[in-house]
Amino acid sequence: MRIRRLHWLMFVAAMLLASRVSASAIFISPDDNGREFELDRGDALEISLPASSGTGYTWQAEPVAGGFVKQVGEPAFTLDSAMPGASGHQIFHFGIEASGTGTLEIRYLRPWERGSKPAKVFKIMLIVH
């Protein structure tokens, strides 16, 4: 947990230095599904979605049209308990690199089941100034 927190702090610090002093970190939960967010270039997103480690399902982010939002690193997984197969959260980090409007979609699926519908879809609209 300490390493993940340090990684997140380093990520936010890098985003702040690379962009502008007034950049913000926005934390997004499953309750935000379907919402619209107005952001500024240089902002950072952290999205935490519930997942079960033993089912084979995983959240996978779809590229945002226009490329103004970029995923930073691989998603982290935190367990809710130490029991094998315990549920937890998959955590994504995104950087906002340019102005634009688009949908960020993350799908909960089994990667080897090509062509099948995702079990869940998390989607937010982003408007970046």
Side-chain angles (χ1 to χ4, degrees):
M1 190 70 165
R2 179 178 285 166
I3 292 172
R4 189 180 86 73
R5 197 171 296 142
L6 177 62
H7 179 264
W8 173 243
L9 289 174
M10 288 173 38
F11 165 73
V12 171
M15 293 302 294
L16 287 172
L17 291 173
S19 60
R20 54 191 175 80
V21 177
S22 62
S24 300
I26 294 91
F27 300 94
I28 297 175
S29 74
D31 295 336
D32 294 316
N33 194 12
R35 288 194 50 209
E36 181 178 288
F37 291 87
E38 288 197 35
L39 308 164
D40 293 315
R41 280 179 288 146
D43 285 350
L45 296 176
E46 178 178 287
I47 302 175
S48 178
L49 300 171
S52 296
S53 63
T55 63
Y57 281 93
T58 184
W59 289 100
Q60 293 188 351
E62 295 295 311
V64 176
F68 64 95
V69 176
K70 299 282 187 194
Q71 184 173 332
V72 178
E74 292 297 315
F77 191 86
T78 60
L79 292 171
D80 292 338
S81 76
M83 296 186 63
S87 61
H89 286 82
Q90 200 168 342
I91 302 165
F92 291 83
H93 294 107
F94 295 92
I96 310 298
E97 298 183 348
S99 298
T101 300
T103 301
L104 174 57
E105 183 173 300
I106 306 175
R107 300 174 180 175
Y108 194 57
L109 47 78
R110 289 181 172 139
W112 64 86
E113 292 179 346
R114 302 260 182 226
S116 43
K117 290 180 64 176
K120 300 175 193 174
V121 175
F122 177 86
K123 191 184 297 189
I124 55 175
M125 172 63 99
L126 302 174
I127 301 167
V128 180
H129 303 284

